[in-house]
Amino acid sequence: MLRRLCTFVAALVVTVTTGAGTAQAEGRADTPTKRVYNAMQFAHPSAPDAFCTIGAVGTDDYGRKIAISAGHCAGGTEYADREIHENVAPVYDRHDFAFGPIGYMRYFKSPEGSMTGHATKDYMVIELVPEVTLSSQGPHLKQTGMVEVPSGAASPNALKPALSNERLLGAGLFDNNELVVSGQSGVWYGRITNNSSGIYQSHAPHQAGDSGGPAVWHVPGSAYPSEANGFRAQGPWAGITKARILGIPPYVYTSSANILADLRARDAADPADIYGGGFEVTANP
């Protein structure tokens, strides 16, 4: 089971800023532009070894720069299940604390008694600061938009009718959907062997600290990561790393469909107040 980034809970009282609005960075006039991308590890300077990983970066319908990760990385309940307008939970690049916060946590789902978060809504929304540059290219994976499954089963979080990107990849006998994932141990791929309400089970492995990290759909006929291509791959964003379970295979992922569906449902109920509403993966190189 992946570790929870409980240090962020302590950080919730560190950098309180009154008022709402876009995340602000201070004192960076002479700081080079910083690129933020999938598979970037984030942590708090007080506990650099308690980290999680970014799954996708892009923008929402309100022009905000957004990163998506796993909700169980936050832990705690004080700020769970609501929009966090205050800059009370800073997010730092684990390998560049000197830059300062790359963003602020804006939403995460309460674990609701589970060590790995709500079954279908285990995600976190981070609003990135204006100074960063979004990139679709991570260390191993290039994300080419978001996976769409027009004929797939709808996410349990979806409004009716569900959008194509809110529908799930099949895992039946005659389905051959595969995930390609990136984490500390490099890049891996594996077939989706089970789909339980948008939680994908796959042979693609991960380890502690990879929570929230990227998974893309392997487009049939496209190259697999290998020594010949520098162990790189590309495909549409399909989900984020969730946990290890007692099962075969033990690796599970939260589908992008579940995240996007819940964001749209919450945004429809409270327009303009939902960070991440209408999220789209960046096309920036």
Side-chain angles (χ1 to χ4, degrees):
M1 187 172 295
L2 301 185
R3 74 181 68 176
R4 299 169 66 191
L5 197 56
C6 294
T7 52
F8 272 175
V9 179
L12 293 176
V13 297
V14 174
T15 56
V16 176
T17 300
T18 58
T22 303
Q24 298 295 320
E26 299 178 356
R28 294 190 185 146
D30 299 323
T31 302
T33 299
K34 183 176 186 62
R35 191 172 67 95
V36 178
Y37 45 84
N38 73 75
M40 174 181 279
Q41 296 172 352
F42 62 95
H44 193 270
S46 63
D49 291 330
F51 61 92
C52 276
T53 304
I54 288 175
V57 297
T59 54
D60 67 10
D61 277 349
Y62 308 101
R64 295 175 289 222
K65 297 179 179 180
I66 297 293
I68 303 293
S69 188
H72 70 262
C73 287
T77 59
E78 181 181 358
Y79 288 91
D81 300 320
R82 73 168 179 87
E83 302 306 298
I84 309 171
H85 297 295
E86 309 89 350
N87 291 347
V88 293
V91 173
Y92 297 79
D93 176 359
R94 181 177 178 238
H95 298 292
D96 186 13
F97 290 128
F99 179 83
I102 61 171
Y104 294 88
M105 196 184 306
R106 294 306 189 198
Y107 176 85
F108 65 93
K109 182 67 178 173
S110 168
E112 296 185 357
S114 168
M115 286 297 290
T116 53
H118 190 285
T120 67
K121 301 177 183 179
D122 181 11
Y123 71 94
M124 173 194 299
V125 177
I126 300 165
E127 183 188 14
L128 300 169
V129 297
E131 289 77 10
V132 305
T133 297
L134 306 180
S135 175
S136 59
Q137 179 67 65
H140 298 285
L141 300 181
K142 181 177 180 63
Q143 294 178 333
T144 56
M146 299 179 291
V147 70
E148 296 186 0
V149 191
S151 60
S155 162
N157 302 334
L159 300 173
K160 295 181 179 180
L163 303 180
S164 292
N165 62 16
E166 298 170 351
R167 295 182 177 275
L168 306 171
L169 293 167
L173 182 62
F174 297 105
D175 291 306
N176 193 32
N177 290 305
E178 296 173 294
L179 296 179
V180 188
V181 306
S182 177
Q184 299 166 79
S185 59
V187 59
W188 300 88
Y189 57 88
R191 181 177 176 273
I192 298 174
T193 62
N194 187 51
N195 168 13
S196 177
S197 299
I199 305 302
Y200 298 144
Q201 199 168 343
S202 173
H203 287 285
H206 53 251
Q207 61 190 66
D210 290 337
S211 279
V216 302
W217 180 59
H218 176 252
V219 178
S222 66
Y224 288 98
S226 67
E227 185 175 4
N229 58 26
F231 297 102
R232 292 193 173 193
Q234 64 179 18
W237 178 50
I240 61 174
T241 298
K242 181 174 176 63
R244 293 197 297 264
I245 63 171
L246 295 175
I248 299 176
Y251 308 106
V252 294
Y253 297 84
T254 298
S255 65
S256 57
N258 279 4
I259 297 169
L260 295 171
D262 192 59
L263 283 171
R264 186 166 73 100
R266 293 196 300 110
D267 191 44
D270 192 4
D273 192 50
I274 303 301
Y275 292 93
F279 176 77
E280 293 186 5
V281 169
T282 182
N284 293 341

